[in-house]
Amino acid sequence: MFDKFFNRPPGGKAIKKAAANPAADAPKTGAAPAAATPPAPDVAKLPTAPAPAPSPPAAVSSAPAKVEEKPDSKGPNEAIPDIKTLKIDRSLPREKPKMPDGSAAPEAAREAAKSPADSALKTPSPNTLTPLNRPAESATPAAAPSRPASVPQASPPASSGGVSPPEPISAARPPSPLASEKTDSTSAQDPVKPSPLPAPTAPVALLTAPKKADAPASTLPPVPAPKPTEPPAPKAAQFQNLPATDAWCPPAIAEHYPELRAHIYEDNAATERVLPGGWRIVGATKRGRQHAHKATHREDALAFNVGAQFTILCVSDGAGSCPLSRLGSHVASHTVAARLMEQLPKLEKAVTDDADKLKTELSAQLTAALVAACQALVDMAAKTKTSAKDYRCTLLTLLHWRGEKHELLIANQIGDGAILVLNQDKSTRRIGEADSGQFSGEVSCFVPDDNARDKAKKIDFIAPADAVECVLLCTDGLEDPFFPIAKKAGDLFRQLYAGVSEPLKDFKAQPPQPPILPQESAAGALGQWLEFEKRGENDDRTVLLLHRRPPTVTF
């Protein structure tokens, strides 16, 4: 069809005719439309171009095909786009065939150029899509009355059988791809003007729905936003109370020290002893929850000895990072108590009757006992082929001399812990200084280190002794919950003398308890008092007291 329409031989290119006489080509009055046939072009005078390679058929898509627009000038060998990719613009009248000189072709030539395929493009069946994916149009209407051949035929409007989506209308529409150049179809030979174009249909909104009118403002009060819920509190640590899995004294050490093999270890222990002169010793030690959870031994130890004129009290705390510190604390505290128990009865009467000589002698004996404790751990390490640092521990010592003429209280501290004094006027004070580092639990001096021997020479006197109501020695397991213990010593002594009615501030739990030290037997009550709970305080707790009996103070 297009070969005839463009006056080209089948399978060949469009051939541009030579100039002809316009008058000869004009339509004759009264001539039949199909009688005139345009003259055949002179093909021999035109250059022959090789036929283009056949291109694969273009895929038919659902969207209308778009043809790239090119300049109007086309060479004789330029390929015509395939009919499957052409988009026919039906909003404008179809361009009429033209003669080589640019004038309109006779009506007969136009009619002859029509083909069944061209008619099929104009009159598709209802409710079907054409090969160009255009909406279906109604069947061709009845033949209109004849009109001059120069009047272009307008496209029939779309029938109600199919819905035609609107074509986008542009102010400046590009030229039709079927026309090689613009011509004015109304010439002197055709004075009739073309019929007006059909009115474009209203565009259909496909992407967005029409905007609704704003709803009237609600008269209901605004609903308040729900309050954010607080995160649940972290669950408390669930500690287990497991027995120690290994021997308190390893067999390799026990074979060299039979007295350690004979020692009966207990996780929790309490002791007391009534002394002549109206004094009493009360002590308790408790394995910390951290050791109980890990099934390890208690590392704290306590020891005391009582002579005819003196009393020795010692508490010790093994360093947690040292594997044999539980043996170190036990050996160090018992060595000091045993050494003083051996040497103090040997003091001559001339020394015990003179206050200055007594102070000097008691200080020397206490220092010697502390040095002996350091040496005992060094010797144990050498004999068992272990390291002396494996036995590291702290050591707090109190010596109470009650002679016929003089009463003295002297103390020494190596490592952390605390020595507290309660006077009969209810005032409190701390004796000595803890060898603590910059952070909690950090200790700068341990037995049997060399600096412990130097610290053993620092002796503190508690005077006057007759004004003292109670002296308390404790490890850091009791010091830390009451930190700073120098300021909270009054609260601590108040609970020991007046009992517990409510937990202290920042304590998680502390069961109510009657007064402890005024009881006839206070050891068990003191052990129960050590059961208080405070977050983060899970170390061993050991306390040893020397107090007057009966008490002379009340809270």
Side-chain angles (χ1 to χ4, degrees):
M1 177 191 68
F2 276 76
D3 294 334
K4 295 179 179 181
F5 189 80
F6 287 96
N7 297 324
R8 62 181 178 184
K13 302 294 181 176
I15 302 173
K16 189 174 182 180
K17 288 185 176 183
N21 187 4
D25 297 333
K28 296 181 179 181
T29 306
T37 301
D42 191 359
V43 181
K45 296 182 180 181
L46 298 177
T48 303
S55 58
V60 179
S61 61
S62 59
K66 297 182 179 180
V67 179
E68 181 180 1
E69 297 178 1
K70 295 183 180 181
D72 293 340
S73 61
K74 297 183 182 290
N77 297 330
E78 185 172 352
I80 301 300
D82 188 46
I83 185 172
K84 295 183 179 181
T85 62
L86 290 177
K87 176 182 176 182
I88 301 177
D89 191 351
R90 298 182 180 271
S91 60
L92 297 177
R94 181 186 298 273
E95 295 289 341
K96 296 187 294 183
K98 296 173 287 295
M99 298 300 292
D101 58 354
S103 61
E107 183 67 20
R110 291 202 307 261
E111 295 296 333
K114 294 182 181 179
S115 65
D118 190 19
S119 300
L121 291 176
K122 287 188 177 182
T123 59
S125 61
N127 299 328
T128 58
L129 294 179
T130 65
L132 297 181
N133 275 334
R134 292 187 56 80
E137 297 177 352
S138 60
T140 308
S146 61
R147 53 192 303 178
S150 59
V151 178
Q153 300 292 330
S155 300
S159 67
S160 59
V163 178
S164 300
E167 294 270 343
I169 300 175
S170 173
R173 181 177 296 275
S176 172
L178 300 179
S180 60
E181 58 181 314
K182 290 185 178 181
T183 57
D184 188 0
S185 59
T186 58
S187 58
Q189 294 81 3
D190 190 7
V192 181
K193 295 183 180 180
S195 61
L197 297 177
T201 59
V204 180
L206 301 178
L207 298 180
T208 58
K211 188 174 181 180
K212 297 182 180 180
D214 295 338
S218 176
T219 59
L220 297 178
V223 178
K227 296 182 179 180
T229 58
E230 297 182 358
K235 295 183 178 180
Q238 301 294 329
F239 287 97
Q240 304 181 64
N241 190 7
L242 304 176
T245 55
D246 56 344
W248 179 79
C249 180
I253 298 176
E255 65 182 27
H256 297 282
Y257 294 91
E259 65 275 15
L260 296 180
R261 185 197 300 271
H263 175 70
I264 300 175
Y265 166 80
E266 293 178 333
D267 288 338
N268 305 317
T271 184
E272 66 178 311
R273 183 170 180 178
V274 179
L275 307 175
W279 294 88
R280 181 171 67 173
I281 299 173
V282 182
T285 182
K286 175 185 177 297
R287 183 174 69 154
R289 292 193 296 177
Q290 188 173 4
H291 290 295
H293 185 73
K294 296 180 179 179
T296 56
H297 296 92
R298 167 176 49 86
E299 295 175 344
D300 282 8
L302 61 82
F304 66 90
N305 267 333
V306 180
Q309 296 180 306
F310 58 88
T311 303
I312 306 111
L313 290 80
C314 298
V315 298
S316 181
D317 178 14
S321 59
C322 302
L324 300 174
S325 62
R326 62 183 183 274
L327 299 181
S329 62
H330 176 84
V331 171
S333 58
H334 283 78
T335 298
V336 171
R339 172 74 181 224
L340 291 176
M341 188 67 185
E342 178 185 354
Q343 296 297 325
L344 291 182
K346 298 178 181 180
L347 294 179
E348 298 179 356
K349 185 174 176 53
V351 175
T352 59
D353 290 345
D354 189 296
D356 293 337
K357 291 181 180 180
L358 182 60
K359 289 181 180 181
T360 303
E361 187 63 23
L362 293 177
S363 298
Q365 290 294 335
L366 180 55
T367 298
L370 297 173
V371 172
C374 295
Q375 190 61 41
L377 296 180
V378 173
D379 295 342
M380 180 182 290
K383 185 179 289 188
T384 59
K385 296 181 180 180
T386 54
S387 173
K389 293 183 178 180
D390 294 343
Y391 302 90
R392 280 179 165 178
C393 61
T394 65
L395 185 58
L396 289 76
T397 307
L398 174 70
L399 173 58
H400 180 208
W401 178 265
R402 347 172 270 282
E404 296 178 359
K405 294 184 179 181
H406 307 285
E407 185 178 11
L408 298 174
L409 286 168
I410 61 177
N412 176 269
Q413 178 173 351
I414 300 174
D416 59 2
I419 301 176
L420 303 176
V421 173
L422 172 66
N423 295 320
Q424 292 178 344
D425 61 357
K426 299 183 183 181
S427 62
T428 60
R429 53 178 169 152
R430 181 173 184 170
I431 304 299
E433 296 179 358
D435 299 309
S436 301
Q438 221 174 3
F439 303 97
S440 176
E442 184 179 1
V443 181
S444 58
C445 185
F446 285 107
V447 176
D449 295 348
D450 293 339
N451 56 351
R453 299 172 186 263
D454 299 332
K455 188 67 182 294
K457 300 175 183 179
K458 185 176 178 55
I459 304 299
D460 297 303
F461 289 90
I462 305 172
D466 55 359
V468 174
E469 172 67 22
C470 178
V471 182
L472 179 148
L473 288 74
C474 67
T475 59
D476 63 340
L478 186 59
E479 176 194 11
D480 292 344
F482 286 88
F483 182 85
I485 198 167
K487 294 183 178 180
K488 295 185 178 181
D491 296 336
L492 191 155
F493 282 115
R494 182 179 295 104
Q495 290 194 346
L496 295 177
Y497 278 86
V500 179
S501 58
E502 60 181 5
L504 292 176
K505 186 180 179 181
D506 299 333
F507 275 45
K508 181 180 179 181
Q510 193 171 23
Q513 197 168 358
I516 299 172
L517 294 182
Q519 297 183 28
E520 188 67 23
S521 178
L526 184 62
Q528 294 178 3
W529 178 74
L530 293 177
E531 295 289 342
F532 64 82
E533 295 183 19
K534 187 176 182 180
R535 188 178 298 276
E537 303 296 344
N538 304 309
D539 199 4
D540 297 340
R541 297 169 184 170
T542 301
V543 59
L544 190 59
L545 299 98
L546 175 67
H547 72 99
R548 293 185 185 273
R549 184 179 178 270
T552 61
V553 298
T554 57
F555 285 87

